[in-house]
């Protein structure tokens, strides 16, 4: 089956033009976006909980959620102990990566930017692998090591971008590319020095793994939500940054403060995500691009849309990772790459046509 996008005339005539028109207030547009993507996220959660190696009917699922089901039954245990925590993890990780990609695309004014391009994810991976090799627990050991690694890489990238070229997007981007390459080499070195019993676990984790998360770890996801709020508050300055740093400064934006706040908030939430899920690519690249095509470039809409859309995207990808293999499951990072790479190539082809 060949995937076909919605007819361009339909998008422009009935959706994009309506959302981007000046006749509808931003609040009504936001309500429409939240309603549509909220329904999509709710549907994704229901599918993620109901489908899997043991299929559960929607009726039985709703009975468990309402408390009417036997709390000691196997179905209740599967939903509450295994599937629901994993679905929540996928939603939060997907939202974090999509939002991180959106922020970096604004800061660098580069459509190819995402957390990986600055080496933030690579730094998190190095810290997490070192913690794994040292035998530290997922929290706080691996999480703190991942955050330390990502912050160290970010500081090095910012140092590389100082001097005469300070504030230039291309110098920040080039510094990130160099650090990302260095992180890749360090990761390969650490894997080559690992014992055979650790290599499989580390490689599986590097491909994106949501299978080891448990209900007891859910509170560990809370630190990403203050970062969401910080980025939501920065929606208007992000719109002005698209005009260029000089123009944004003339219009009253404290460019240095806004840039640093966005970089720190994004780095922190991405490092938290990577410490729990490993490296999951393309979510931060594809989701913002698709949403931008549908609802335009206003970040007052794009930020909440990326949170809801990114969550739905990774839940569906994780469902496919659990369902496609005849036995067992594959890392979710493989599914996001198989979906994301062709989609991004199509977007590039469409943009250059």
């Amino acid at each position: 089956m060949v995937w076909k996008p919605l007819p361009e005339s339909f998008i422009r005539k009935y959706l994009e033009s309506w959302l981007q028109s000046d006749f509808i207030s931003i609040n009504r547009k936001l309500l429409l976006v939240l309603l549509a993507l909220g329904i999509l996220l709710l549907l994704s959660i229901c599918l993620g909980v109901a489908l899997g190696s043991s299929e559960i009917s929607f009726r039985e699922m709703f009975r468990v959620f309402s408390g009417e089901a036997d709390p000691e039954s196997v179905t209740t245990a599967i939903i509450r102990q295994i599937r629901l925590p994993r679905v929540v993890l996928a939603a939060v990780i997907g939202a974090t990566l999509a939002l991180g990609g959106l922020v970096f695309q604004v800061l660098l004014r580069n459509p190819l930017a995402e957390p990986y391009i600055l080496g933030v994810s690579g730094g998190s991976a190095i810290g997490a692998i070192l913690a794994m090799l040292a035998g530290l627990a997922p929290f706080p050991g691996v999480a703190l090591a991942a955050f330390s690694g990502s912050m160290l890489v970010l500081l090095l990238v910012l140092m590389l971008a100082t001097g005469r070229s300070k504030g230039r997007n291309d110098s920040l981007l080039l510094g990130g590319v160099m650090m990302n390459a260095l992180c890749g080499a360090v990761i390969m070195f650490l894997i080559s020095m690992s014992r055979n019993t650790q290599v499989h676990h580390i490689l599986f984790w590097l491909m994106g793994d949501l299978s080891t998360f448990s209900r007891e770890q859910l509170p560990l996801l809370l630190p990403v939500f203050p970062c969401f709020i910080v980025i939501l508050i920065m929606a208007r300055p992000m719109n002005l940054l698209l005009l260029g740093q000089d123009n944004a400064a003339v219009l009253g934006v404290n460019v240095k403060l806004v840039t640093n706040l966005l970089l720190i908030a994004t780095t922190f939430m991405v490092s938290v995500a990577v410490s729990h899920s490993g490296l999951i690519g393309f979510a931060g690249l594809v989701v913002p691009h698709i949403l931008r095509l549908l609802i335009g470039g206003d970040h007052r809409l794009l930020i909440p849309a990326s949170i809801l859309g990114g969550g739905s995207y990774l839940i569906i990808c994780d469902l496919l990772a659990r369902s496609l293999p005849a036995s067992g499951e594959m890392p979710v990072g493989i599914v996001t790459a198989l979906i994301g790479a062709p989609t991004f190539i199509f977007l590039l082809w469409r943009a250059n046509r």
Side-chain angles (χ1 to χ4, degrees):
M1 177 180 177
V2 178
W3 177 77
K4 294 181 179 179
L6 286 173
E8 192 171 311
S9 59
F10 173 84
I11 296 176
R12 290 184 176 176
K13 186 175 181 180
Y14 297 104
L15 183 61
E16 189 178 52
S17 61
W18 194 80
L19 283 169
Q20 296 183 21
S21 68
D22 295 329
F23 300 103
I24 304 172
S25 68
I26 183 66
N27 290 333
R28 290 189 178 181
K29 294 177 184 176
L30 180 61
L31 181 62
L32 176 66
V33 170
L34 293 178
L35 181 63
L37 292 177
I39 293 174
L40 177 62
L41 179 61
L42 185 61
L43 181 61
S44 303
I45 291 174
C46 291
L47 291 174
V49 172
L51 302 181
S53 56
S54 300
E55 292 192 8
I56 299 172
S57 67
F58 285 105
R59 181 181 179 184
E60 189 66 22
M61 181 181 66
F62 291 132
R63 289 185 71 242
V64 171
F65 286 154
S66 62
E68 297 177 0
D70 180 5
E72 304 297 329
S73 68
V74 175
T75 301
T76 302
I78 290 175
I79 291 178
R80 292 186 175 178
Q81 300 292 335
I82 300 174
R83 290 191 183 172
L84 188 58
R86 182 164 177 165
V87 166
V88 172
L89 173 67
V92 175
I93 299 298
T96 300
L97 296 178
L99 191 55
L102 177 68
V103 171
F104 281 127
Q105 286 160 21
V106 172
L107 292 179
L108 302 179
R109 300 182 68 190
N110 189 316
L112 299 178
E114 66 162 339
Y116 296 90
I117 204 69
L118 287 182
V120 173
S121 296
S124 297
I126 291 175
I129 291 173
L130 288 173
M132 289 179 190
L133 294 177
L136 300 180
F139 189 86
V142 175
L144 289 177
F147 176 67
S148 301
S150 61
M151 287 302 297
L152 178 61
V153 168
L154 179 62
L155 289 175
L156 291 174
V157 171
L158 292 175
M159 289 174 62
L160 288 172
T162 57
R164 291 185 177 180
S165 59
K166 186 176 183 179
R168 288 177 54 184
N169 293 321
D170 53 352
S171 59
L172 195 65
L173 183 61
L174 288 174
V177 170
M178 287 187 287
M179 289 306 303
N180 200 26
L182 179 61
C183 288
V186 174
I187 290 173
M188 292 299 106
F189 172 76
L190 293 175
I191 292 176
S192 68
M193 299 298 291
S194 304
R195 299 193 303 272
N196 290 335
T197 54
Q198 296 172 318
V199 169
H200 180 267
H201 174 65
I202 292 174
L203 287 176
F204 205 80
W205 179 84
L206 284 174
M207 289 185 284
D209 181 22
L210 305 180
S211 63
T212 59
F213 198 75
S214 64
R215 187 173 70 172
E216 289 72 22
Q217 293 175 281
L218 284 176
L220 306 182
L221 299 175
L222 293 177
V224 305
F225 293 104
C227 301
F228 289 0
I229 296 174
V230 170
I231 296 172
L232 280 167
I233 294 173
M234 297 292 171
R236 184 178 176 278
M238 287 172 68
N239 282 343
L240 297 177
L241 283 175
L242 290 178
L243 303 174
Q245 293 186 355
D246 294 337
N247 292 329
V250 170
L251 294 172
V253 177
N254 188 332
V255 174
K256 183 178 181 180
L257 176 63
V258 170
T259 301
N260 288 337
L261 281 176
L262 289 174
L263 280 175
I264 293 173
T266 304
T267 301
F268 179 75
M269 69 181 189
V270 169
S271 65
V272 172
V274 171
S275 68
H276 292 301
S277 67
L279 300 179
I280 298 176
F282 291 101
L285 207 60
V286 173
V287 174
H289 275 282
I290 293 176
L291 292 173
R292 197 175 285 111
L293 285 174
L294 292 174
I295 65 176
D298 191 335
H299 289 86
R300 292 173 295 180
L301 302 177
L302 270 178
I303 292 174
S306 295
I307 293 173
L308 296 175
S312 304
Y313 175 73
L314 201 59
I315 290 174
I316 298 300
C317 288
D318 185 50
L319 178 60
L320 293 175
R322 288 188 280 132
S323 306
L324 289 179
S327 61
E329 61 181 72
M330 68 175 78
V332 67
I334 295 177
V335 178
T336 59
L338 289 174
I339 296 175
T343 304
F344 189 66
I345 291 172
F346 167 76
L347 292 173
L348 282 177
W349 170 79
R350 186 176 182 275
N352 295 325
R353 191 174 53 177

